[in-house]
Amino acid sequence: MIEFNNVSKVYKEVKALDDVSFTVEPGSVTGFLGPNGAGKSTAMRILTGLSRPTSGSATVLGRPYGQLDRPAYRVGTLLDAGAQHPGRTGREILTLGAIVLGLPRSRVDDILDLVGLTARQGRQTVGGYSLGMRQRLGLGHALLGRPEALVLDEPANGLDPHGIQWMRGLLRDLAGSGCSVLLSSHLLHEVEQVADRIVMIGRGRVLAQGTVGELSGGRGLEQAFLDLTAHSGRSTA
């Protein structure tokens, strides 16, 4: 389970998050939906221990991330696919991750196959990868430890339509196995297709949350989101 309890974050005089609360249940996918700059990445950084909240708390599997036993094994994260070392091969990056987690090197072959990277692509340096390939590699790294929770920031960026469809199926399979999946995006259609529940955020505040049907109210999810962001005083442009 993933929980945000009244989380606020203030940078100097700017309130990046304002009393954010929601829950991601085991065996479900929650879409964290909002325009760029809405506060999604800040919330995920707090959840994974990279930033401290000004007030409130964020927990995963019942504890703050930093207090978990072997957190990188139990919680898979993809926050920035571009952060991978460009001079290393995809296989080297996954191998280093497997060593840190105490996993056999055979896990690397399993992961390359799972995320659709060929053996040849695994031998290429990441500097030569497309953004879509980096996303696949980053997702593979997040899945090395067979996590109980997944935290993914804009994972569909750079994926072609086939890759997006593949990712949806993978996330649904992971949720079906009991994993709690938090997926952030600014793309309405992407979230609508895969999420059990959606949390809409704008200007650091939760504007609405619920199932697609509950949020759309017969108007369609896109119109509902446009109405909410307009009411919050922020354009989605």
Side-chain angles (χ1 to χ4, degrees):
M1 180 180 290
I2 295 169
E3 292 185 281
F4 286 85
N5 295 295
N6 307 110
V7 175
S8 294
K9 179 66 177 180
V10 179
Y11 294 102
K12 295 183 179 179
E13 296 182 359
V14 177
K15 184 168 279 191
L17 293 176
D18 188 0
D19 200 32
V20 170
S21 294
F22 65 91
T23 299
V24 183
E25 297 288 345
S28 70
V29 179
T30 292
F32 197 26
L33 178 63
N36 291 329
K40 304 185 301 294
S41 295
T42 299
M44 290 187 156
R45 287 179 61 82
I46 288 173
L47 179 65
T48 54
L50 297 175
S51 182
R52 292 177 179 269
T54 303
S55 60
S57 64
T59 60
V60 56
L61 307 179
R63 295 183 179 181
Y65 181 86
Q67 294 180 17
L68 290 171
D69 178 42
R70 302 180 71 192
Y73 185 90
R74 301 183 64 193
V75 182
T77 62
L78 173 57
L79 302 184
D80 183 5
Q84 298 151 348
H85 194 299
R88 293 192 175 122
T89 68
R91 176 175 287 277
E92 286 172 343
I93 287 173
L94 291 176
T95 300
L96 286 170
I99 291 170
V100 168
L101 294 177
L103 298 169
R105 296 195 180 201
S106 59
R107 179 65 175 156
V108 173
D109 293 311
D110 295 339
I111 288 294
L112 287 171
D113 183 61
L114 178 64
V115 301
L117 291 174
T118 66
R120 180 175 176 274
Q121 289 169 331
R123 293 192 296 270
Q124 294 176 352
T125 58
V126 173
Y129 276 19
S130 67
L131 177 55
M133 291 170 66
R134 285 175 180 256
Q135 293 284 27
R136 287 175 181 267
L137 179 64
L139 185 55
H141 197 276
L143 295 174
L144 274 169
R146 298 181 176 90
E148 300 163 63
L150 269 178
V151 182
L152 309 174
D153 195 2
E154 303 277 2
N157 280 356
L159 292 178
D160 59 21
H162 175 75
I164 291 174
Q165 186 175 12
W166 160 81
M167 186 190 68
R168 288 176 191 155
L170 177 61
L171 295 184
R172 290 306 327 164
D173 288 345
L174 290 166
S177 70
C179 189
S180 301
V181 181
L182 177 60
L183 163 72
S184 86
S185 181
H186 64 280
L187 301 174
L188 294 161
H189 184 66
E190 173 196 338
V191 171
E192 187 176 12
Q193 294 296 312
V194 71
D196 299 294
R197 294 182 61 82
I198 293 174
V199 177
M200 293 183 175
I201 186 172
R203 299 189 70 182
R205 294 182 63 90
V206 172
L207 305 177
Q209 55 182 303
T211 66
V212 172
E214 290 169 344
L215 294 176
S216 65
R219 295 169 295 160
L221 183 60
E222 182 172 5
Q223 187 58 53
F225 183 58
L226 289 172
D227 290 347
L228 284 165
T229 51
H231 182 70
S232 74
R234 179 174 186 132
S235 168
T236 57

